[in-house]
C-alpha cells in the first residue's frame, strides 16, 4: 500500500494540496513522465489551460505507528502560510473484508513549501482523534467541524492556527447540538452552515446554522432529497435577504 503522499497541483497560480492514500503499485517511470507533462483542458472561451501534478513529499508515520499507510477524511487547510493536515482514518492491520478495525488519529502535520517540496516543520497531536469532519480555511485559521469518534468531541467546532514558527493552537469556538461527520459546512460572517452527512451517527438531509458569536443554532430548510449517504462539496456565494415592500 502506498504511503500517504502529498501531491501539489498548480492551477492558474494557485497551489492546492491533495492527500493521496490509496492502495496500488508504485508509478512507473512512464507514469511519472506522463504526469509531469500535465493534462490539458479546454475552457469555455476556447483557450487551453494546463494542470500540473508534482510529487511533494511523504507524511511521517503517525505517533506509535511504524509506517503511514495513508488516511481518509483528514483535516486540511492553510494557516499563516503553512499547510496543515492531520487526523483521518484507515485500517492499520487487515482491511474491512477481513474484519480489520478502522482507526482514527490525533496527529497534526505542519508543512512548509521549500524548493517545490512540502517539508515538515512540526508534527504534534491533538488530545483526541479526528476524522471525517469538515475543514474551512479562513484568515482566522482553519475551522474544523465535528469529525471525531471520541466521547464528547464529535459535536465541536475547532479553530486550528499555526504561529510564525509553525506551532499549533487549537480552540473550541462552538458546539453543535449533535455529533457531525461526512457532510458539508460553510462559514460567512461568523455564521456556520452545516448539513447532510451524518448527525448523531444517522444519515440526514437536515441543514442548520450556528452563530459562533451568540452560539445560537437555527434549523433551516432541509435538502430536497432522502436522508441517505451523501458526498458533499459546498461553496457559499452570498446571502440574499428579502425586504418588505
Amino acid at each position: 500500500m502506498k504511503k500517504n503522499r502529498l501531491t501539489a497541483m498548480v492551477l492558474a497560480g494557485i497551489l492546492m494540496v491533495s492527500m493521496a492514500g490509496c492502495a496500488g503499485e508504485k508509478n512507473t517511470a512512464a507514469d511519472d513522465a506522463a504526469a509531469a507533462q500535465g493534462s490539458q483542458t479546454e475552457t469555455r472561451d476556447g483557450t487551453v489551460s494546463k494542470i500540473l501534478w508534482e510529487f511533494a513529499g511523504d507524511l511521517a508515520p503517525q505517533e506509535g505507528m511504524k509506517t503511514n499507510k495513508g488516511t481518509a477524511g483528514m483535516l486540511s487547510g492553510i494557516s499563516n502560510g503553512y499547510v496543515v493536515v492531520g487526523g483521518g482514518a484507515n485500517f492499520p492491520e487487515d482491511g474491512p473484508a477481513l474484519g480489520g478495525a478502522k482507526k482514527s488519529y490525533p496527529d497534526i502535520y505542519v508543512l512548509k513549501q521549500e524548493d517545490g517540496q512540502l517539508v515538515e516543520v512540526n508534527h504534534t497531536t491533538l488530545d483526541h482523534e479526528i476524522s471525517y469532519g469538515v475543514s474551512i480555511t479562513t484568515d482566522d485559521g482553519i475551522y474544523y467541524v465535528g469529525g471525531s469518534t471520541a466521547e464528547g468531541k464529535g459535536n465541536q467546532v475547532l479553530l486550528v492556527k499555526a504561529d510564525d514558527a509553525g506551532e499549533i493552537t487549537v480552540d473550541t469556538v462552538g458546539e453543535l447540538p449533535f455529533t457531525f461527520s461526512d457532510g458539508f459546512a460553510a462559514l460567512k460572517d461568523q455564521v456556520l452552515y452545516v448539513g447532510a452527512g451524518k448527525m448523531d451517527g444517522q444519515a440526514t438531509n437536515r441543514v442548520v446554522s450556528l452563530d459562533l458569536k451568540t452560539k445560537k443554532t437555527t434549523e433551516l430548510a432541509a435538502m430536497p432529497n432522502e436522508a441517505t449517504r451523501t458526498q458533499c462539496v459546498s461553496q457559499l456565494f452570498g446571502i440574499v435577504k428579502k425586504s418588505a415592500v
Side-chain angles (χ1 to χ4, degrees), residues 68-88:
N68 190 326
K69 294 185 175 182
T71 49
M74 298 183 75
L75 173 152
S76 62
I78 305 292
S79 177
N80 202 19
Y82 292 102
V83 176
V84 181
V85 297

Side-chain angles (χ1 to χ4, degrees), residues 2 18 30 32 40 47 55 60 65 86 89 100 107 131 151 158 202:
K2 282 186 178 179
S18 171
D32 292 337
Q40 292 185 338
T47 61
F55 173 68
M65 306 298 291
D107 297 71
S131 58
E151 184 69 26
L158 306 179
Q202 300 297 317

Side-chain angles (χ1 to χ4, degrees), residues 61-67 103 105 107 123 125:
Q62 296 91 343
E63 189 170 286
M65 306 298 291
K66 294 182 179 180
T67 60
K103 177 178 174 59
Y105 298 91
D107 297 71
H123 178 186
T125 57

